[in-house]
Amino acid sequence: MEINSKIEKAKKGDQIAFTFLLDYYWNEVYGFMLKRTENETTAEDIAIETFAKAFDKIASYNSEFQFNTWLIAIAKNVYIDLLRKRKTNLFIEITDAEDQQAYNIADTTPSAEDALIKEQNLSRLLQCVKELKPHYQEVIQLRYFQEMSYQEIAVKIDEPLSNVKVKLLRAKKLLAEIIESNR
């Protein structure tokens, strides 16, 4: 079957096989999460993270199970992690007096040191981005610095949406590795 051969090729690092699998299963994973989250952006983010995790761990995929079942299981876990993270970020109720007291204490304007650190971190990040291959630099630049949507990027670089998503996944993974190696 073609899917099994694509999975085997993906296990060997074949980028075209990854793209095929992403295209083939994207709507199923995205649709599954959209029903649960009722939010397109959240569903898309979960689907992207699902494929990123799946492609990172594809060597551990057991062919006794359906590939889509494996993907959905990963998506469920990503969603559960997201819910847990949100649950721990819930606000604690405070009185108006406590709020005013905190407001009087808290100074949110960045100090000169904060501004310098932020500038240095941005400079370091840009240096790391420059270590990526040009096509990865471009999608990172368009997505995170120009804040373009996936669809806008697809139009701008004249590539299918699924390719943009895979490129961004790969670019983010490679960028994380570069940042880690530069520490």
Side-chain angles (χ1 to χ4, degrees):
M1 184 184 194
E2 183 170 344
I3 294 294
N4 290 335
S5 71
K6 294 292 185 186
I7 293 167
E8 289 308 311
K9 287 180 180 178
K11 282 183 174 183
K12 294 175 184 161
D14 184 324
Q15 198 62 44
I16 294 167
F18 280 128
T19 303
F20 174 85
L21 293 170
L22 181 86
D23 284 342
Y24 192 83
Y25 290 107
W26 176 264
N27 288 339
E28 185 175 351
V29 174
Y30 173 76
F32 178 83
M33 291 319 308
L34 186 58
K35 285 179 189 169
R36 274 140 192 82
T37 64
E38 297 178 353
N39 180 302
E40 290 178 8
T41 305
T42 303
E44 188 174 78
D45 288 345
I46 291 170
I48 288 169
E49 190 170 339
T50 297
F51 281 99
K53 287 183 183 231
F55 293 158
D56 281 346
K57 304 285 185 205
I58 197 156
S60 69
Y61 166 67
N62 182 345
S63 58
E64 291 177 24
F65 302 99
Q66 293 291 318
F67 192 72
N68 61 336
T69 305
W70 185 65
L71 287 172
I72 295 298
I74 293 170
K76 284 179 184 176
N77 290 333
V78 170
Y79 183 50
I80 289 167
D81 290 346
L82 178 72
L83 292 176
R84 284 184 185 137
K85 195 180 292 181
R86 284 184 182 165
K87 196 173 186 179
T88 60
N89 290 338
L90 293 177
F91 293 102
I92 300 167
E93 291 221 12
I94 58 172
T95 65
D96 288 340
E98 290 170 327
D99 187 40
Q100 187 59 44
Q101 186 179 4
Y103 179 78
N104 290 340
I105 294 170
D107 180 9
T108 57
T109 56
S111 67
E113 293 87 5
D114 292 337
L116 182 62
I117 290 168
K118 186 175 179 181
E119 193 175 309
Q120 287 174 341
N121 286 341
L122 182 59
S123 176
R124 270 194 232 125
L125 177 62
L126 291 172
Q127 279 305 121
C128 291
V129 169
K130 286 179 184 173
E131 291 182 37
L132 293 170
K133 291 182 180 174
H135 60 278
Y136 288 143
Q137 286 181 32
E138 182 180 30
V139 292
I140 291 285
Q141 179 72 26
L142 295 173
R143 179 70 176 153
Y144 299 104
F145 293 97
Q146 295 182 26
E147 298 181 349
M148 292 177 116
S149 70
Y150 296 112
Q151 189 61 50
E152 290 170 328
I153 296 169
V155 169
K156 172 103 174 156
I157 65 173
D158 193 31
E159 287 195 28
L161 184 61
S162 58
N163 285 14
V164 169
K165 291 174 182 172
V166 169
K167 262 190 187 172
L168 269 165
L169 286 172
R170 300 283 299 151
K172 287 184 349 187
K173 183 178 180 196
L174 292 170
L175 184 57
E177 289 171 6
I178 290 169
I179 289 168
E180 190 60 37
S181 71
N182 287 344
R183 283 191 171 173

